[in-house]
Amino acid sequence: MIIRTGTRAVRSASCLLCQWRSFSVSYRRLAANKTPTPPPSSSSPLKSSTTPAAKSAAKNDGRLHPDPLGRPIGMNHPPLAGENTGVDTRTIKQRRDDFVDYDKHLARREELKTKMSRPYFRDWRNMQFHKGKTFLSPPRLFKADLSLFFPNLHGRTLASADPADTTPLLEGRASVVAVFSSRWAENQVASFTSKEASPALHAALGGSQGLAQLVQVNVEEDPLKAWLIRLFMGSLRKRVGKENWDKYFIVRKGLTDEIRESIGVLNTKVGYTYLVDHHCRIRWAGSGIAEPGEREGLAKGVQRVLDEMAKEAVGQNFVRRPVAKVDAAGSGGVKGTEGKSV
C-alpha cells in the first residue's frame, strides 16, 4: 500500500488488517505444533504462583495466574458515617463556582478520558482467566499498624427502607464483608462464607458472642436491576434470615472508581471477600472462587482478630475516635484511629 502526498511517495507498512490475519494464522499453527507445559504441582496454591517454575509455566501455557496480595489494600483515611453517599449536596453557588473552575474542568476531562478508554466488555473478557479471580489472598493477615481502611458504604438494608452506613456496623466487631453485584459474584463469595463451604468460619462466628459478624454488600448501580431487587425483596429476606437483615446492604451510589481501585475491586463481575477488624481496617482479602487454603486462612484470621480484641478489652459498645499523631516534620495530623470499649 503506497500513500502519495504531494511529489513525494511514502511507502508505509502493510495493512493492519492483513497483519492481524497473518499473525492469527501463524499463531494457530504454532499453537497446534507446540505442546503446552503443564504447571507444576504444589500442595499450596498460594506458593505455586510465586515460584519461578510457576512463572515459567504461566509463560509456556499462555495463561494468566493471579498472585497473592503483597501489600495492604484500602483507603488511607478512616471511614466516617455519611461519606460516599453519591448525593450531590452542593449549593447553587458552589455548583456555579465549580462550573467556572478550569482546573476542575481538566480533572473532569481526565476522568472522562479514562472511562472512554476502558473497553465495555473488559470485565466479561477477564472472566475467562480463573473465572475472574483477580488475586490470591495473603498467606497471613496484614499487620494492624500497616493496614488500610475499608470505606464507608451508604445504602439501605433489608431491615428498613431508611438509608444506613456500614461504618457504625463494622466498628467494634470483627467483620467478614462480602461485596458482590450479581448472582454469579454472590456464588463466588459464598465459596468463602457459606456454612457448607467453610464450617470453621461459622464456628468462629458463632462462638464470638456477637463480636464477629458476616456483612453482605450488594452493589447494584443499574436502576432497572435495583428495581428488580426491590421487587423480590420478600424472597431475599427469607433466604437471608431475619437475624441478618440489618447486615445485608443494597448500595446503588457512592462506590467510585477510586474506591474500587483502592480496595482491589478490579472486576465488577467478580465477588470480593474482606476481613475487617474493629478499627475498620482491611486485614485480609480474597477474590473470586475460594481455594481450600484461602478458606482456612479466613477462618484463622477471624480468630486472630478476636484474640486481638480480647487483649484490647473490646466490648459490645465501641467508640472509635481519631488520634492525632505528630509526623517527622512536627506538624500534627490524623494518622490513625484508636478505639475504646465502654
Side-chain angles (χ1 to χ4, degrees), residues 186-194 197-198 288-290 295:
E186 187 177 2
N187 292 333
Q188 288 185 332
V189 299
S191 64
F192 283 96
T193 61
S194 64
S198 183
I289 299 178
R295 298 189 188 98

Side-chain angles (χ1 to χ4, degrees), residues 22-166:
S22 61
F23 173 77
S24 61
V25 173
S26 60
Y27 180 79
R28 285 196 297 268
R29 291 176 181 174
L30 291 174
N33 297 330
K34 184 178 180 180
T35 303
T37 303
S41 59
S42 175
S43 58
S44 175
L46 300 179
K47 296 180 181 179
S48 61
S49 60
T50 57
T51 58
K55 293 182 179 180
S56 61
K59 295 179 181 179
N60 291 334
D61 60 13
R63 295 178 297 176
L64 297 178
H65 293 266
D67 296 327
L69 283 176
R71 60 176 182 84
I73 58 175
M75 307 293 291
N76 293 324
H77 56 83
L80 296 175
E83 291 180 335
N84 307 322
T85 60
V87 180
D88 191 357
T89 58
R90 296 176 302 172
T91 62
I92 297 179
K93 183 179 183 303
Q94 291 174 341
R95 296 184 183 185
R96 185 260 176 194
D97 295 339
D98 293 341
F99 182 77
V100 298
D101 192 338
Y102 186 70
D103 293 335
K104 293 186 177 181
H105 272 288
L106 294 179
R108 179 59 176 170
R109 184 183 302 174
E110 293 298 327
E111 181 181 353
L112 293 176
K113 286 170 58 178
T114 303
K115 291 183 177 181
M116 292 178 61
S117 61
R118 183 184 308 154
Y120 181 78
F121 294 101
R122 182 194 64 177
D123 293 343
W124 289 110
R125 288 200 305 267
N126 291 338
M127 295 293 290
Q128 62 181 320
F129 304 109
H130 298 271
K131 298 182 179 180
K133 194 174 187 65
T134 319
F135 54 82
L136 293 174
S137 61
R140 58 185 62 87
L141 297 186
F142 299 129
K143 293 183 178 180
D145 54 345
L146 300 178
S147 299
L148 301 178
F149 296 94
F150 189 83
N152 178 75
L153 301 179
H154 185 82
R156 60 169 298 182
T157 63
L158 297 180
S160 175
D162 297 332
D165 297 289
T166 58

Side-chain angles (χ1 to χ4, degrees), residues 59 95 179 204 215 310 321:
K59 295 179 181 179
R95 296 184 183 185
V179 180
V215 180
R321 56 187 176 88

Side-chain angles (χ1 to χ4, degrees), residues 178-295:
V179 180
F180 53 88
S181 59
S182 63
R183 185 61 177 175
W184 171 272
E186 187 177 2
N187 292 333
Q188 288 185 332
V189 299
S191 64
F192 283 96
T193 61
S194 64
K195 294 182 180 180
E196 297 78 9
S198 183
L201 173 62
H202 283 268
L205 296 177
S208 64
Q209 300 179 355
L211 293 179
Q213 60 184 350
L214 173 62
V215 180
Q216 303 180 67
V217 180
N218 189 349
V219 180
E220 191 51 73
E221 299 176 347
D222 191 344
L224 180 58
K225 293 182 180 180
W227 178 79
L228 291 175
I229 293 176
R230 295 186 60 182
L231 183 63
F232 295 97
M233 194 76 75
S235 61
L236 186 59
R237 288 193 178 99
K238 292 181 181 179
R239 180 165 57 89
V240 173
K242 188 174 182 179
E243 65 278 4
N244 297 320
W245 286 0
D246 60 334
K247 302 179 183 64
Y248 191 100
F249 286 81
I250 301 175
V251 177
R252 292 192 54 192
K253 299 179 180 179
L255 195 60
T256 61
D257 293 339
E258 179 184 0
I259 296 177
R260 291 180 186 273
E261 293 179 0
S262 64
I263 63 177
V265 181
L266 304 179
N267 193 329
T268 58
K269 307 300 187 265
V270 178
Y272 294 85
T273 308
Y274 303 91
L275 175 57
V276 182
D277 66 2
H278 51 292
H279 292 289
C280 296
R281 297 173 298 197
I282 300 177
R283 306 293 300 278
W284 184 94
S287 68
I289 299 178
E291 301 288 343
E294 293 179 320
R295 298 189 188 98

